[in-house]
Amino acid sequence: MVWAQVASTGAIFGTIVDNSGAAVAAASITVVNQATQVKRNLTSNDTGFYSAESLLAGSYEVTVQKPGFKETVLRDLTLAPGQRLQSNITLEVGAVETKVDVEAEAVRVETESGESAGVIGGTQVENLLLNGRNFLGLGLLVPGVTSATITGHAVGGGSLNSGGLTGETPLSINGLGREYTNYTVDGAYNMNTGNDINLNITPTLDTIAEFRILKDNYSSKYGVAGSAQVLVESKSGSRTFHGSLYDFLRNDKVDASNFFSAGNKTPLRQNNFGFALGGPVTIPHIYNRNRDKNTFFFVNEEWRVIHSGSTVRGAMIPEAMRNGDFSGSTTFGAKGNQLVFDDAANNFLAGKNCL
């Protein structure tokens, strides 16, 4: 079987061995997504190798069975977008009815590839506060990632450009320009080809399961970009219903006045509100009544309302000068209301008569 090659999907692979280190062939392996319970059934080859390809990011459970050995279950394997996760499993001799449960390591050293990357997980996406609620702000948590200055209104995150309303990309990765980074959502190209610094779609935070930033030395399968890859994995439904209702408020009533506004507060009314809902697709008494089918949905709607002002300062010529009286100008000499010349050259004095 050949699986579709999508850049954001990952894989769990490894080798099945016994206590002596010998390969265990023809072992039955089941890889299960713990949220959706979608299963992938595999069999180890003659060298004990197995590989579950084209897996979506998430938490997985791997079960290995082989006659003459105890059943082994490895739980809570966290797979990031585009990651190839190695999981070697050692079987113990014993009855099949005996089960060995193994918890995956919370922190692992990347040994499967030489790529330099950082992952922003679902817990961080849900709990870290962001001015403007633009997911790109979380990218600054990854070493080597900075925010470049871009155009746009200062409300909602400054260089994050009003929380992504215009879709401009501010991230500079490894010191390169922001136009050299490629963005994808679930493996689909998400860049404006006109300038390479705008996203076609700016995913809202409540739709993102997690995202991964590949900084350098990554696989050639990604291509396109000369700098880095930002892989966004969207949420999907699960066996149970989950949802949220939210409203994020910014208001000048709880803000300090601008330093340059002479004590007058700049007006600001900003509301970011919406809902998210996901779960199994079920029609009572007709379809999926036991929620055991692999049909899910996830929907998010978000609205943004912003009413804001700005403080602008500038220099103005004094009223006397606007009326033609330059006697108070520091560029005139002691002769009053007339220009001072260098008598020898009959020219304006440098630095004196330049208005």
Side-chain angles (χ1 to χ4, degrees):
M1 180 180 294
V2 178
W3 296 94
Q5 301 300 305
V6 180
S8 66
T9 58
I12 297 176
F13 67 97
T15 303
I16 311 299
V17 298
D18 60 19
N19 287 329
S20 67
V24 177
S28 298
I29 301 130
T30 304
V31 180
V32 181
N33 185 305
Q34 293 181 223
T36 64
Q37 295 301 303
V38 174
K39 298 181 180 180
R40 184 76 59 79
N41 295 314
L42 310 165
T43 302
S44 61
N45 63 14
D46 293 339
T47 63
F49 180 78
Y50 75 95
S51 180
E53 301 289 336
S54 298
L55 298 178
L56 298 177
S59 294
Y60 285 86
E61 177 181 290
V62 178
T63 302
V64 182
Q65 294 177 318
K66 172 73 176 180
F69 294 91
K70 298 178 181 178
E71 177 183 313
T72 300
V73 180
L74 183 59
R75 306 182 192 277
D76 299 325
L77 279 172
T78 301
L79 184 67
Q83 182 183 14
R84 295 190 62 81
L85 181 62
Q86 184 172 4
S87 180
N88 298 325
I89 299 175
T90 300
L91 299 182
E92 297 180 12
V93 176
V96 177
E97 293 77 12
T98 306
K99 180 184 294 186
V100 178
D101 283 338
V102 182
E103 294 292 333
E105 299 177 9
V107 179
R108 303 178 69 256
V109 177
E110 177 71 54
T111 60
E112 295 82 7
S113 70
E115 63 190 23
S116 175
V119 177
I120 306 300
T123 302
Q124 294 167 298
V125 173
E126 290 178 2
N127 296 298
L128 292 181
L129 297 180
L130 282 174
N131 186 0
R133 285 178 53 78
N134 188 329
F135 80 97
L136 294 174
L138 293 172
L140 302 179
L141 297 174
V142 178
V145 179
T146 60
S147 180
T149 301
I150 63 176
T151 59
H153 204 281
V155 175
S159 63
L160 290 178
N161 211 25
S162 262
L165 293 180
T166 59
E168 215 166 324
T169 58
L171 298 186
S172 170
I173 301 175
N174 286 345
L176 295 179
R178 54 198 176 101
E179 66 273 17
Y180 294 107
T181 299
N182 185 51
Y183 293 78
T184 60
V185 176
D186 296 332
Y189 186 71
N190 190 32
M191 295 296 297
N192 185 314
T193 55
N195 57 16
D196 286 336
I197 59 170
N198 282 76
L199 299 182
N200 290 327
I201 299 173
T202 301
T204 59
L205 285 178
D206 287 77
T207 65
I208 297 176
E210 61 182 31
F211 69 96
R212 191 172 186 225
I213 297 179
L214 302 178
K215 296 186 293 183
D216 50 49
N217 206 32
Y218 47 79
S219 171
S220 60
K221 72 177 182 179
Y222 297 102
V224 182
S227 172
Q229 302 279 339
V230 179
L231 313 178
V232 178
E233 187 79 18
S234 62
K235 290 181 179 178
S236 67
S238 62
R239 296 281 179 177
T240 57
F241 289 100
H242 295 280
S244 63
L245 185 67
Y246 56 87
D247 182 9
F248 294 89
L249 166 70
R250 290 187 63 193
N251 193 290
D252 58 62
K253 299 296 183 183
V254 293
D255 288 347
S257 61
N258 187 294
F259 179 81
F260 297 103
S261 63
N264 300 314
K265 284 189 177 181
T266 302
L268 173 60
R269 306 286 190 278
Q270 177 172 310
N271 289 83
N272 187 341
F273 55 96
F275 72 91
L277 179 65
V281 175
T282 177
I283 302 175
H285 308 295
I286 298 176
Y287 177 76
N288 201 17
R289 59 188 299 180
N290 296 322
R291 303 182 187 178
D292 55 355
K293 298 186 182 298
N294 298 328
T295 310
F296 311 99
F297 77 94
F298 182 86
V299 60
N300 169 253
E301 290 285 346
E302 181 169 297
W303 297 267
R304 299 187 178 196
V305 179
I306 302 176
H307 301 283
S308 63
S310 61
T311 299
V312 179
R313 291 177 59 86
M316 176 59 69
I317 299 175
E319 183 177 1
M321 291 187 183
R322 297 200 301 270
N323 294 329
D325 180 6
F326 290 87
S327 60
S329 173
T330 58
T331 62
F332 284 96
K335 294 185 179 181
N337 203 22
Q338 66 184 62
L339 299 176
V340 178
F341 294 91
D342 183 334
D343 293 334
N346 201 32
N347 293 323
F348 288 134
L349 289 175
K352 289 291 186 180
N353 307 121
C354 302
L355 298 180

